[in-house]
Amino acid sequence: MSKQQSGGWRPFLNLIRQTKPPALPLAIALFLSVASTVVGLFVPLFTKDLVNSFSLASLDKGQVAVLTVAFLAQSLAGGLSIYLLNRIGQGVVAGLRDRLWKKLLVLPVSYYDDHQTGETISRMTNDTAVIKGLITDHLTNFFTGAISIVGSVTILLFLDWKMTLLMLTAVPLTILVLKPLGRTMHKISRGMQDETAAFSATLNQVLSEIRLVKASNAEAIEYQNGKRGITNLLSLGIKEGTVHALISPFISLVMMTLLVLILGYGGMRVSSGALTAGDLVAFILYLFQIVIPMSQLSMFVTNLQKTRGATERIITTLEAAEEDLTAGREVTDPHQPITLEHVSFAYKAGEPVLDDVSFTIEPGRVTAIVGPSGSGKTTLFSLIERYYRPTGGTIRLGQDPIDAFSLHSWRSQIGYVSQESPIIAGTIRENICYGMEREVSEEELRRAARMAYADHFIEEMPDQYDTQVGERGVKLSGGQRQRIAIARALLRNPRILMLDEATSSLDSKSEIEVQKALQNLMKGRTTLVIAHRLSTVMDADHIIFLEKGRITGRGTHEELFTTHAMYREFASQQLRIDQQTAAQIQAGKG
C-alpha cells in the first residue's frame, strides 16, 4: 500500500481536496455551522439566569426575547449550513465520479484484463456512495459536534471545574472502547466493499450472458454463485450491525451514568450552597451538548473507517497507469509500410505469445495472417492497435516507431473489424456513427450502409436507421452485426484496415454479403487480415504463417502451398469446405 493510503484522514482529505470544492459556499456553510453552535452554547447561560431569578414578577421580557431570537437564529443558521454542506458534498462526489469515469476511459486494455467489469463498476457506484454518505450525512455533525464539545467543556470549567473533571473521566474510557471497535469496523467495511465488488462482477457476468446461462441450463449453478455472494454480504452486514449495536448502547450508558453522577453530585453541591439551581440546570444542558455530539462523533468515526476502505480502492484506481491519448505527433502520411522488427510479447513473464516476429505490411496491399488457434494472431492485432506494448522489438510506420505518434491520431487511421462485431445498446444510426467526432450527414450514413451491403435489411425494419438493436445487438443476426461494423469502419474512412475475418461463423448468404462489403472496405487501403477462408488467403498479396508465436512461412499462396506442409493442410481443408459451401449455394439456387 502506498504511503498516501496508510493514514486514516490524509488520503480522504487529499481525495476531497482534489475535487476542488467551492471555497466561498464552504466557508459560508462552516461559518453558519460554527455560529449556530456558538449561539447554542449561550442558551444554557440564559437558562441559568432564568432559573436563578424565576418568578412571574421578575421575568425579564428582554431576556425571553433574546432567548427566542437565539433559538430562531440557531435553527435558521443550522438548517442553511446543513443545506450548503449537503450541496457541496453532492458536488464533491459528482466531481469524484467524474474523475473516476474519465480515468476509467483512459486506462489501458491491460487494466481490464486484470479487473472484472463488475468490480470496476462497484468502485464507481458503491465506493463513491460510501464517501457521499460521510460528507452529506456526518461531516456537518463532526464540525458542529467538535465545536460544541470544546465550547461546552470550556464554559463548564468556569462554572464548576470539579464537576467538569468528574464528567471528563468518561472520555478515556469511551476512547478505550471505541478505538478497537473502529479498527474492527475498518476491516469489516473493507471486506464489505470487496464482497460488494465481487457480487457486482458476478451479476454483470451472468446477466450480460443470460442466453448462455439458459442455453446451458446453468440457472441453478449461477443461483448458488449469487447466493454465496448474498450470504457473504449478509454475514458482513450482521458484523457491521453488531459493531453499531455495541457503540450506540455504550454511548447511551455513558450518558445515563454521567447524568446520574451529575444530578447526584450536583444536588449535594446545590444543597451545600456551592452551586445554584440555575448552575446545575445549565450543567445538565451542557452535558447534553457534549454527550449528543459525542454520539454523533462516534458515528462519524465509524463511517470514516468505512470510508477509508472505499478511499483506498478509489485512490488505487486513480493512481493506475493510464494511456496518454494526445502525447506524440500527428500521423501525416499513413500510406507507408508498417514494419514489425523482431517483435516479442508476453502477457505473463516467461510465457511468450509472440517471439521475434518480423515482417512488412505493404501500403495499399493485403497481408494475410494464417495459423492455428493460439498462435498469436489476435495478439499481433492488439500490438498494432497499441492496446499493449511489445516486450521486445519495434513496430514502425515508415521510418518512425508507431509510439512516436499520439494514440488518438494513430487509432484514427485504423479501422478494426473483429470477429465479435461489437455493438452498443442504442439505434443502428448510433452504432454506425459511433466514435465520430463530427456531424455525419444522412447521405454519408446511407452511403456507408450501402457499401457495407447493410442498407437492404436496415430499410426493411420499421424504424430503419432508428431501430433499437438491444443490448450487445441481440436483435440483429450475426451477418447484420458484421455489416454494421463494416459500415462503421467505412464511415471512419481509415487508411489502415485490420480485419479479424468473421465470415466463418455466418451462413452462406450472409457470408457472400459480408465478403462483398469487405471488398468495398479494402479498396486502396493497407490491409492486415486474420484469414479463416481460403478465398481471402488466395486474394492476399502476402501471407504470413504463424505457429506458436513464430513465423514459419511467408510468401504467396502458390509459394506456401508448395513449400509449407501445415499451410498446405490448411488450404486443402479450406478448399473442401469452400467446395461444400459452393455446392450448397448452387443447390439453393436450383
Side-chain angles (χ1 to χ4, degrees), residues 173-199:
L173 175 64
T174 304
I175 292 172
L176 199 66
V177 172
L178 291 182
K179 193 169 182 180
L181 287 175
R183 283 197 297 266
T184 303
M185 178 59 79
H186 176 53
K187 290 178 184 175
I188 292 169
S189 66
R190 285 193 65 176
M192 180 77 82
Q193 282 142 21
D194 286 343
E195 195 59 47
T196 301
F199 184 57

Side-chain angles (χ1 to χ4, degrees), residues 53-170:
S53 60
F54 188 75
S55 69
L56 290 175
S58 62
L59 195 64
D60 187 344
K61 292 181 180 177
Q63 268 190 333
V64 173
V66 169
L67 194 60
T68 303
V69 170
F71 277 135
L72 291 173
Q74 184 185 23
S75 299
L76 185 63
L80 191 55
S81 169
I82 289 170
Y83 168 76
L84 285 173
L85 280 174
N86 190 285
R87 182 163 180 164
I88 291 165
Q90 295 283 2
V92 164
V93 173
L96 185 56
R97 284 175 172 161
D98 181 72
R99 281 188 68 203
L100 264 175
W101 181 233
K102 190 175 182 180
K103 179 76 178 188
L104 292 174
L105 291 172
V106 295
L107 288 173
V109 170
S110 55
Y111 176 89
Y112 294 98
D113 293 342
D114 299 328
H115 296 80
Q116 291 191 55
T117 305
E119 290 183 6
T120 307
I121 292 169
S122 183
R123 298 285 87 83
M124 185 76 174
T125 53
N126 298 327
D127 289 357
T128 52
V130 169
I131 292 177
K132 180 178 78 70
L134 180 75
I135 295 172
T136 57
D137 299 336
H138 300 285
L139 199 58
T140 310
N141 292 336
F142 172 77
F143 284 112
T144 57
I147 295 165
S148 180
I149 290 169
V150 172
S152 296
V153 169
T154 303
I155 294 171
L156 286 177
L157 285 169
F158 282 104
L159 279 177
D160 192 309
W161 64 271
K162 290 181 181 178
M163 282 180 62
T164 305
L165 291 179
L166 174 67
M167 184 184 68
L168 291 178
T169 56

Side-chain angles (χ1 to χ4, degrees), residues 173-174 176-185 188 237-255 294-295 298-299 302:
L173 175 64
T174 304
L176 199 66
V177 172
L178 291 182
K179 193 169 182 180
L181 287 175
R183 283 197 297 266
T184 303
M185 178 59 79
I188 292 169
I238 290 171
K239 288 179 182 176
E240 186 179 48
T242 303
V243 175
H244 282 298
L246 290 171
I247 291 172
S248 296
F250 175 73
I251 296 295
S252 298
L253 177 64
V254 170
M255 181 176 175
M294 279 287 286
S295 177
S298 72
M299 292 303 296
T302 301

Side-chain angles (χ1 to χ4, degrees), residues 361 384 426 495 565:
I361 305 165
I384 295 172
R495 305 317 306 158

Side-chain angles (χ1 to χ4, degrees), residues 507-567:
D507 62 78
S508 303
K509 185 178 178 183
S510 294
E511 182 187 342
I512 292 168
E513 295 289 306
V514 170
Q515 284 284 14
K516 287 192 289 186
L518 287 172
Q519 290 302 320
N520 281 338
L521 183 57
M522 292 160 66
K523 282 177 186 172
R525 293 181 169 91
T526 304
T527 305
L528 185 63
V529 183
I530 293 178
H532 300 285
R533 288 294 191 191
L534 186 63
S535 56
T536 305
V537 179
M538 291 178 70
D539 291 338
D541 299 295
H542 189 58
I543 302 166
I544 301 295
F545 200 95
L546 271 182
E547 287 181 71
K548 297 180 180 178
R550 297 182 68 90
I551 295 177
T552 60
R554 65 181 78 213
T556 62
H557 167 70
E558 290 78 12
E559 290 168 350
L560 283 175
F561 196 85
T562 56
T563 61
H564 197 286
M566 189 173 282
Y567 177 81

